[in-house]
Amino acid sequence: MNNDTTGVEAETPHSEHATLQKRVVRVLITGQILGGIGMGATLSLGALLAAELSGSSAWSGMAATMSTLGAAIVAVPLARLAQAHGRRVSLATGSLVAGAGAVLAITAVSIDTFALLLVALMMLGAGSATNLQARFAATDLATSRFRARDLSIVVWSTTIGAVLGPNLFGPGEALGAALGLPAMTGAFAFSLAATVTAACVYALGLRPDPLLTALAARTKSAGIRRASGGLAILRGNAAARYAVVVIALSHMTMVALMSMAPVHLRDHGATLTIVGLTISLHVAGMYALSPVFGALSDRVGRVPVILGGQSMLLVALTVAWLSDGSQGTMTLSLIFLGLGWSASVVAGSALVSEAVDIEDRSSLQGFSDLAMNAAGALGGALAGPILTLAGYSGLGLAAMALVAVIVVWSVLEVRASMAAR
């Protein structure tokens, strides 16, 4: 790997940095839980409201698409804000934008305007972008020995909010009725409260700011250097290209298969309870074991864990291909899908954070999140037509499996080039 793979604070941390890092991780965990509640409380409502306001269920998929698109749009601006003013300002701003999206969603339903709902869902996507950036904030002051572990713990904390959030639909309806809100918008009140509270947690808790502290330490030891843009970094850094490609394509593969799983299960007679349980197990696979993959990344290396993740993605697609309508087999496929995503994204994100010096991290991280969300949106958009035309087994899964094969091949190719450096 090239000589840009470690930041100045990575190998010789000050004792005060180690103490600050522990507090930063605690603050980020709290913010992630709140952010997860904010997103989870409204995620399932988006599709229902899109269908209701548009007058057609064909538009229900636009909820996830607009949210993902919104996350992609704000990823780079939030990264630039972090570079200029620190993680505290960036994360708080992203949370407030998501809160404003919740208010706008309620307004859109109140005046029965579908276009305004789409804008609101894009703004709510800023919450996802903020949660993604928070995992990188855990690496600003982390040493290389514990970088993946700290990142993975923050990723894991998303599980709590993701599980609690959807369960607030019922209480949200009761709250909405008490407040006089339109039907199916009460959960947005929880979303607003959670995101505003998360903004306060970031604004008050990230003092001193981890990124600004790391940049100051770098300036003292190595002088000031102008930060590079995300594209410029990718052109000249093979390790950075490798990490960004792995994260983006792993996410695309996961979204493509996961987005069509509920449809497949319902078409084969699964009840809503079974569908919900299956998706819950998939989400658990995505987040619950992320600390394990983080610890493995620190112990055995980033690339071996990524390769293991790619192998699990291939297993997931192969099992789905052979499921033939079996609910149990499809559930197993989605569990492997979540685990493969988790291993690839945790190890890949750690590699993104150490592929460049601290001055360039925010730029590369922002571009990585942009690529990740854009690839996810593309995967979700392509999955429906591919699997509708070719079927959920046979050629349809073969086409999707090819995506995972390309991911694995790119990893092996870059790994070889990195080893030769």
Side-chain angles (χ1 to χ4, degrees), residues 144-158:
S144 60
R145 182 181 178 187
F146 298 117
R147 183 174 290 124
R149 183 204 64 180
D150 289 353
L151 182 150
S152 66
I153 290 173
V154 173
V155 171
W156 173 86
S157 63
T158 307

PDB file of all heavy atoms in Angstrom, residues 144-158:
ATOM      1  N   SER A 144      -4.603   3.015  13.998  1.00  0.00           N
ATOM      2  CA  SER A 144      -4.826   1.962  13.005  1.00  0.00           C
ATOM      3  C   SER A 144      -5.153   0.633  13.667  1.00  0.00           C
ATOM      4  O   SER A 144      -5.846  -0.203  13.086  1.00  0.00           O
ATOM      5  CB  SER A 144      -3.580   1.807  12.124  1.00  0.00           C
ATOM      6  OG  SER A 144      -2.450   1.461  12.919  1.00  0.00           O
ATOM      7  N   ARG A 145      -4.706   0.453  14.903  1.00  0.00           N
ATOM      8  CA  ARG A 145      -4.966  -0.797  15.610  1.00  0.00           C
ATOM      9  C   ARG A 145      -6.445  -0.987  15.932  1.00  0.00           C
ATOM     10  O   ARG A 145      -6.945  -2.113  15.967  1.00  0.00           O
ATOM     11  CB  ARG A 145      -4.149  -0.821  16.908  1.00  0.00           C
ATOM     12  CG  ARG A 145      -4.304  -2.101  17.708  1.00  0.00           C
ATOM     13  CD  ARG A 145      -3.479  -2.046  18.986  1.00  0.00           C
ATOM     14  NE  ARG A 145      -3.653  -3.236  19.798  1.00  0.00           N
ATOM     15  CZ  ARG A 145      -3.157  -3.387  21.013  1.00  0.00           C
ATOM     16  NH1 ARG A 145      -2.438  -2.406  21.559  1.00  0.00           N
ATOM     17  NH2 ARG A 145      -3.366  -4.501  21.694  1.00  0.00           N
ATOM     18  N   PHE A 146      -7.155   0.129  16.164  1.00  0.00           N
ATOM     19  CA  PHE A 146      -8.560   0.039  16.566  1.00  0.00           C
ATOM     20  C   PHE A 146      -9.500   0.808  15.637  1.00  0.00           C
ATOM     21  O   PHE A 146     -10.657   1.003  15.972  1.00  0.00           O
ATOM     22  CB  PHE A 146      -8.737   0.562  18.000  1.00  0.00           C
ATOM     23  CG  PHE A 146      -7.979  -0.210  19.031  1.00  0.00           C
ATOM     24  CD1 PHE A 146      -6.976   0.386  19.766  1.00  0.00           C
ATOM     25  CD2 PHE A 146      -8.265  -1.548  19.266  1.00  0.00           C
ATOM     26  CE1 PHE A 146      -6.265  -0.323  20.716  1.00  0.00           C
ATOM     27  CE2 PHE A 146      -7.568  -2.268  20.223  1.00  0.00           C
ATOM     28  CZ  PHE A 146      -6.560  -1.657  20.957  1.00  0.00           C
ATOM     29  N   ARG A 147      -9.020   1.234  14.486  1.00  0.00           N
ATOM     30  CA  ARG A 147      -9.846   2.071  13.604  1.00  0.00           C
ATOM     31  C   ARG A 147     -11.096   1.335  13.144  1.00  0.00           C
ATOM     32  O   ARG A 147     -12.209   1.856  13.217  1.00  0.00           O
ATOM     33  CB  ARG A 147      -9.020   2.530  12.406  1.00  0.00           C
ATOM     34  CG  ARG A 147      -9.779   3.470  11.471  1.00  0.00           C
ATOM     35  CD  ARG A 147      -8.875   4.010  10.386  1.00  0.00           C
ATOM     36  NE  ARG A 147      -7.910   4.937  10.947  1.00  0.00           N
ATOM     37  CZ  ARG A 147      -6.584   4.815  10.820  1.00  0.00           C
ATOM     38  NH1 ARG A 147      -6.078   3.799  10.147  1.00  0.00           N
ATOM     39  NH2 ARG A 147      -5.776   5.704  11.360  1.00  0.00           N
ATOM     40  N   ALA A 148     -10.945   0.135  12.631  1.00  0.00           N
ATOM     41  CA  ALA A 148     -12.110  -0.616  12.141  1.00  0.00           C
ATOM     42  C   ALA A 148     -13.046  -0.980  13.283  1.00  0.00           C
ATOM     43  O   ALA A 148     -14.269  -0.987  13.118  1.00  0.00           O
ATOM     44  CB  ALA A 148     -11.651  -1.873  11.409  1.00  0.00           C
ATOM     45  N   ARG A 149     -12.486  -1.279  14.459  1.00  0.00           N
ATOM     46  CA  ARG A 149     -13.327  -1.611  15.607  1.00  0.00           C
ATOM     47  C   ARG A 149     -14.211  -0.442  15.991  1.00  0.00           C
ATOM     48  O   ARG A 149     -15.427  -0.587  16.183  1.00  0.00           O
ATOM     49  CB  ARG A 149     -12.451  -2.006  16.793  1.00  0.00           C
ATOM     50  CG  ARG A 149     -13.235  -2.441  18.027  1.00  0.00           C
ATOM     51  CD  ARG A 149     -12.434  -2.268  19.301  1.00  0.00           C
ATOM     52  NE  ARG A 149     -12.122  -0.862  19.579  1.00  0.00           N
ATOM     53  CZ  ARG A 149     -11.424  -0.450  20.629  1.00  0.00           C
ATOM     54  NH1 ARG A 149     -10.936  -1.347  21.480  1.00  0.00           N
ATOM     55  NH2 ARG A 149     -11.197   0.839  20.820  1.00  0.00           N
ATOM     56  N   ASP A 150     -13.637   0.753  16.123  1.00  0.00           N
ATOM     57  CA  ASP A 150     -14.411   1.927  16.519  1.00  0.00           C
ATOM     58  C   ASP A 150     -15.465   2.256  15.468  1.00  0.00           C
ATOM     59  O   ASP A 150     -16.609   2.599  15.794  1.00  0.00           O
ATOM     60  CB  ASP A 150     -13.490   3.122  16.733  1.00  0.00           C
ATOM     61  CG  ASP A 150     -12.630   2.975  17.985  1.00  0.00           C
ATOM     62  OD1 ASP A 150     -12.856   2.011  18.750  1.00  0.00           O
ATOM     63  OD2 ASP A 150     -11.735   3.818  18.201  1.00  0.00           O
ATOM     64  N   LEU A 151     -15.079   2.158  14.199  1.00  0.00           N
ATOM     65  CA  LEU A 151     -16.032   2.418  13.120  1.00  0.00           C
ATOM     66  C   LEU A 151     -17.189   1.429  13.181  1.00  0.00           C
ATOM     67  O   LEU A 151     -18.361   1.802  13.042  1.00  0.00           O
ATOM     68  CB  LEU A 151     -15.305   2.334  11.783  1.00  0.00           C
ATOM     69  CG  LEU A 151     -16.083   2.607  10.492  1.00  0.00           C
ATOM     70  CD1 LEU A 151     -15.137   3.193   9.435  1.00  0.00           C
ATOM     71  CD2 LEU A 151     -16.739   1.351   9.942  1.00  0.00           C
ATOM     72  N   SER A 152     -16.867   0.165  13.402  1.00  0.00           N
ATOM     73  CA  SER A 152     -17.904  -0.871  13.386  1.00  0.00           C
ATOM     74  C   SER A 152     -18.856  -0.743  14.566  1.00  0.00           C
ATOM     75  O   SER A 152     -20.042  -1.077  14.450  1.00  0.00           O
ATOM     76  CB  SER A 152     -17.260  -2.258  13.380  1.00  0.00           C
ATOM     77  OG  SER A 152     -16.555  -2.509  14.595  1.00  0.00           O
ATOM     78  N   ILE A 153     -18.370  -0.270  15.698  1.00  0.00           N
ATOM     79  CA  ILE A 153     -19.246  -0.071  16.858  1.00  0.00           C
ATOM     80  C   ILE A 153     -20.286   1.001  16.551  1.00  0.00           C
ATOM     81  O   ILE A 153     -21.467   0.871  16.906  1.00  0.00           O
ATOM     82  CB  ILE A 153     -18.418   0.301  18.097  1.00  0.00           C
ATOM     83  CG1 ILE A 153     -17.607  -0.912  18.573  1.00  0.00           C
ATOM     84  CG2 ILE A 153     -19.319   0.800  19.224  1.00  0.00           C
ATOM     85  CD1 ILE A 153     -16.628  -0.593  19.686  1.00  0.00           C
ATOM     86  N   VAL A 154     -19.862   2.061  15.886  1.00  0.00           N
ATOM     87  CA  VAL A 154     -20.803   3.119  15.509  1.00  0.00           C
ATOM     88  C   VAL A 154     -21.805   2.589  14.497  1.00  0.00           C
ATOM     89  O   VAL A 154     -22.999   2.892  14.558  1.00  0.00           O
ATOM     90  CB  VAL A 154     -20.041   4.345  14.956  1.00  0.00           C
ATOM     91  CG1 VAL A 154     -21.006   5.382  14.398  1.00  0.00           C
ATOM     92  CG2 VAL A 154     -19.183   4.971  16.051  1.00  0.00           C
ATOM     93  N   VAL A 155     -21.336   1.779  13.544  1.00  0.00           N
ATOM     94  CA  VAL A 155     -22.248   1.159  12.583  1.00  0.00           C
ATOM     95  C   VAL A 155     -23.243   0.256  13.308  1.00  0.00           C
ATOM     96  O   VAL A 155     -24.448   0.273  13.027  1.00  0.00           O
ATOM     97  CB  VAL A 155     -21.464   0.350  11.529  1.00  0.00           C
ATOM     98  CG1 VAL A 155     -22.413  -0.475  10.661  1.00  0.00           C
ATOM     99  CG2 VAL A 155     -20.636   1.276  10.652  1.00  0.00           C
ATOM    100  N   TRP A 156     -22.764  -0.516  14.261  1.00  0.00           N
ATOM    101  CA  TRP A 156     -23.633  -1.432  15.002  1.00  0.00           C
ATOM    102  C   TRP A 156     -24.741  -0.689  15.734  1.00  0.00           C
ATOM    103  O   TRP A 156     -25.885  -1.162  15.794  1.00  0.00           O
ATOM    104  CB  TRP A 156     -22.806  -2.228  16.007  1.00  0.00           C
ATOM    105  CG  TRP A 156     -23.659  -3.074  16.917  1.00  0.00           C
ATOM    106  CD1 TRP A 156     -24.121  -4.332  16.694  1.00  0.00           C
ATOM    107  CD2 TRP A 156     -24.154  -2.690  18.212  1.00  0.00           C
ATOM    108  NE1 TRP A 156     -24.886  -4.759  17.757  1.00  0.00           N
ATOM    109  CE2 TRP A 156     -24.928  -3.771  18.696  1.00  0.00           C
ATOM    110  CE3 TRP A 156     -24.039  -1.540  18.992  1.00  0.00           C
ATOM    111  CZ2 TRP A 156     -25.563  -3.734  19.931  1.00  0.00           C
ATOM    112  CZ3 TRP A 156     -24.681  -1.499  20.220  1.00  0.00           C
ATOM    113  CH2 TRP A 156     -25.426  -2.589  20.682  1.00  0.00           C
ATOM    114  N   SER A 157     -24.443   0.476  16.278  1.00  0.00           N
ATOM    115  CA  SER A 157     -25.442   1.204  17.068  1.00  0.00           C
ATOM    116  C   SER A 157     -26.649   1.604  16.235  1.00  0.00           C
ATOM    117  O   SER A 157     -27.728   1.867  16.786  1.00  0.00           O
ATOM    118  CB  SER A 157     -24.805   2.447  17.706  1.00  0.00           C
ATOM    119  OG  SER A 157     -24.357   3.361  16.729  1.00  0.00           O
ATOM    120  N   THR A 158     -26.493   1.637  14.914  1.00  0.00           N
ATOM    121  CA  THR A 158     -27.632   1.921  14.044  1.00  0.00           C
ATOM    122  C   THR A 158     -28.724   0.875  14.219  1.00  0.00           C
ATOM    123  O   THR A 158     -29.912   1.161  14.017  1.00  0.00           O
ATOM    124  CB  THR A 158     -27.182   1.947  12.563  1.00  0.00           C
ATOM    125  OG1 THR A 158     -26.081   2.843  12.428  1.00  0.00           O
ATOM    126  CG2 THR A 158     -28.312   2.417  11.651  1.00  0.00           C
TER     127      THR A 158
END
